Amino acid sequence: MFHRSLRTATAALPLAGVLLAAGIAGPAFTGLGTAQGLAFLAVAVASIGLAVAVLRGARWAVATGAVLLGAQLGAVVGTIRELTGGIAASKADILRQLDVSPIAGRLVNLAYSTASVTLSCWLAQRWLRARRLRPNDSDRRIDSAEY
């Protein structure tokens, strides 16, 4: 179900996350403190591990990736709500401390989450197709009336 192209695309998302997390880690150390900077670095390291495992086809990584891709639908909905209804002051302050425009930060989040949902739809489409092509045993059941 997770053919090479889908695995590569799925691994590309965590690697893009690595770039985002590592790029913001420096400002996080200076603007938010050591704990937040380390949190961004931890996310970057974990994302590298997930991407490598997905590329190798590890079942746990593929399953984790599929769940995380689908869960991004909530992020898309929440981000659109924030962009249309206003970004919470606390979140906007954190983004400013990271030297990121609140609107730009939310737009990057929206783009990342939308790409994840698109991959999730691709995966779901392949899964449904595989289920349709797989023979089932429903036509081979023993009819109780015969016995």
Side-chain angles (χ1 to χ4, degrees):
M1 191 170 18
F2 251 74
H3 59 71
R4 186 185 247 352
S5 298
L6 186 53
R7 274 199 327 265
T8 302
T10 302
L13 275 173
L15 292 176
V18 168
L19 294 176
L20 291 171
I24 209 71
F29 276 109
T30 58
L32 301 175
T34 303
Q36 291 296 318
L38 289 173
F40 280 101
L41 289 178
V43 167
V45 170
S47 295
I48 290 170
L50 179 62
V52 169
V54 166
L55 286 173
R56 290 184 174 174
R59 286 180 167 264
W60 68 266
V62 170
T64 300
V67 169
L68 293 175
L69 289 173
Q72 290 297 310
L73 181 59
V76 169
V77 171
T79 302
I80 290 172
R81 188 189 63 72
E82 280 184 323
L83 288 170
T84 58
I87 300 170
S90 60
K91 190 176 288 185
D93 288 341
I94 290 171
L95 288 168
R96 283 189 200 98
Q97 289 173 344
L98 296 172
D99 296 327
V100 175
S101 158
I103 297 291
R106 301 317 295 152
L107 287 173
V108 168
N109 188 11
L110 181 61
Y112 188 86
S113 297
T114 301
S116 297
V117 170
T118 301
L119 278 174
S120 176
C121 290
W122 186 11
L123 172 62
Q125 178 259 340
R126 287 192 52 83
W127 180 76
L128 288 171
R129 183 184 304 148
R131 285 189 51 101
R132 266 189 267 126
L133 296 176
R134 186 176 4 176
N136 65 24
D137 292 330
S138 63
D139 58 342
R140 295 187 194 137
R141 290 188 192 147
I142 298 173
D143 187 2
S144 61
E146 292 178 13
Y147 296 98

